[in-house]
Amino acid sequence: MCMKNQTKITAEPGRQELFITREFEAPPEMVFKAFTIPEWLAQWMLPAEQNMRVDFMDYKTGGSYRFILSNINGRDIGIFGVVHEVSAPERIIRTFEYEGLPERGHLALEKTVFETLPGERTKVTIQFICESVEYRDGLVNSGMEKHTSESHKKLDELLAKSNATN
Amino acid sequence: MCMKNQTKITAEPGRQELFITREFEAPPEMVFKAFTIPEWLAQWMLPAEQNMRVDFMDYKTGGSYRFILSNINGRDIGIFGVVHEVSAPERIIRTFEYEGLPERGHLALEKTVFETLPGERTKVTIQFICESVEYRDGLVNSGMEKHTSESHKKLDELLAKSNATN
């Protein structure tokens, strides 16, 4: 597996947004599948020791989804959102609410863009637009870079396997 | 009609968000209806000379909507979004995309909160979280305060009529 691809998180001080960028050794069509097919997503989306299952996932423009994270300090916690746009293999726009916060109604808007790179490779850029600077800083300080990096390594493995079987 | 209620737009320099605040002479349950029932919304949501119709409006958590503005420089233009949360009579969270932009995929996240004020009155606070400072500044500079103020005056009239018939 190629180890040169690093997950990078950019969070400019005082802004409400953050950017996650990562390159993958597979074409956009395949990376897009890994972001949109429930069985694929459940295999890589979370950090090393975390498990999740798909409660429902209607991943089309106008759809919605809910994932359930297992055993977060002894309980299961949902992630819910609505899907503003799915344009294969270019763009996914959705909302994202972690249901484990003390209060409901706090969320982010997430835009994921897939770019073709030479050599059957893909660059993924995720813009996470938060409801406040504090919300964003909370995400970044919760170990986001480590967790996202771990999940992207799982995605590397999944894409390598899928490339091998195609 | 009470003329003391002013539509106020707050857009701090360099931020991705803006806030619209307005008080209304009706209780939250009624103002909430005016924001969520298609026939009501179509009567007030736009500035003085602008007409719109509801293409579809499934205004529940996980739903979506599309309005069509008539004759914007000679053509009809849609507004599309997905509905992250509808909690009557407290909160509506949705995405908002104006389909008349040169490129698709540019949008905002909108949180509308309804607060009870003494004397059967309501304070509405709308947080509009934009994908960029430029997008937000574009909205503000497009005459947003004038347009929103005009539409809120229509809403004042609608609420006064509804109060009178209840």
Side-chain angles (χ1 to χ4, degrees), chain A residues 95-106:
Chain A
T95 61
F96 180 99
E97 179 172 3
Y98 179 70
E99 296 176 354
L101 300 178
E103 194 181 67
R104 294 298 301 273
H106 298 289

Side-chain angles (χ1 to χ4, degrees), chain B residues 1 150-163:
Chain B
M1 192 189 349
E150 283 174 13
S151 75
H152 286 165
K153 278 176 191 152
K154 289 194 207 173
L155 177 50
D156 282 336
E157 288 167 31
L158 185 65
L159 292 169
K161 267 195 286 183
S162 305
N163 264 331

Side-chain angles (χ1 to χ4, degrees), chain A residues 108-147:
Chain A
L109 178 63
E110 188 199 69
K111 280 181 77 171
T112 303
V113 175
F114 302 80
E115 279 173 88
T116 306
L117 297 180
E120 302 269 283
R121 302 177 69 250
T122 303
K123 181 178 179 178
V124 176
T125 302
I126 302 169
Q127 184 189 12
F128 217 75
I129 307 158
C130 302
E131 60 159 45
S132 68
V133 179
E134 294 69 30
Y135 179 108
R136 190 211 59 171
D137 289 347
L139 278 178
V140 174
N141 296 330
S142 71
M144 191 180 207
E145 193 155 79
K146 178 177 177 287
H147 296 153

Side-chain angles (χ1 to χ4, degrees), chain A residues 84 95 97 105 111 127 131, chain B residues 84 95 97 105 111 127 131:
Chain A
H84 182 90
T95 61
E97 179 172 3
K111 280 181 77 171
Q127 184 189 12
E131 60 159 45
Chain B
H84 182 90
T95 60
E97 179 172 2
K111 280 181 77 171
Q127 183 188 11
E131 60 159 46

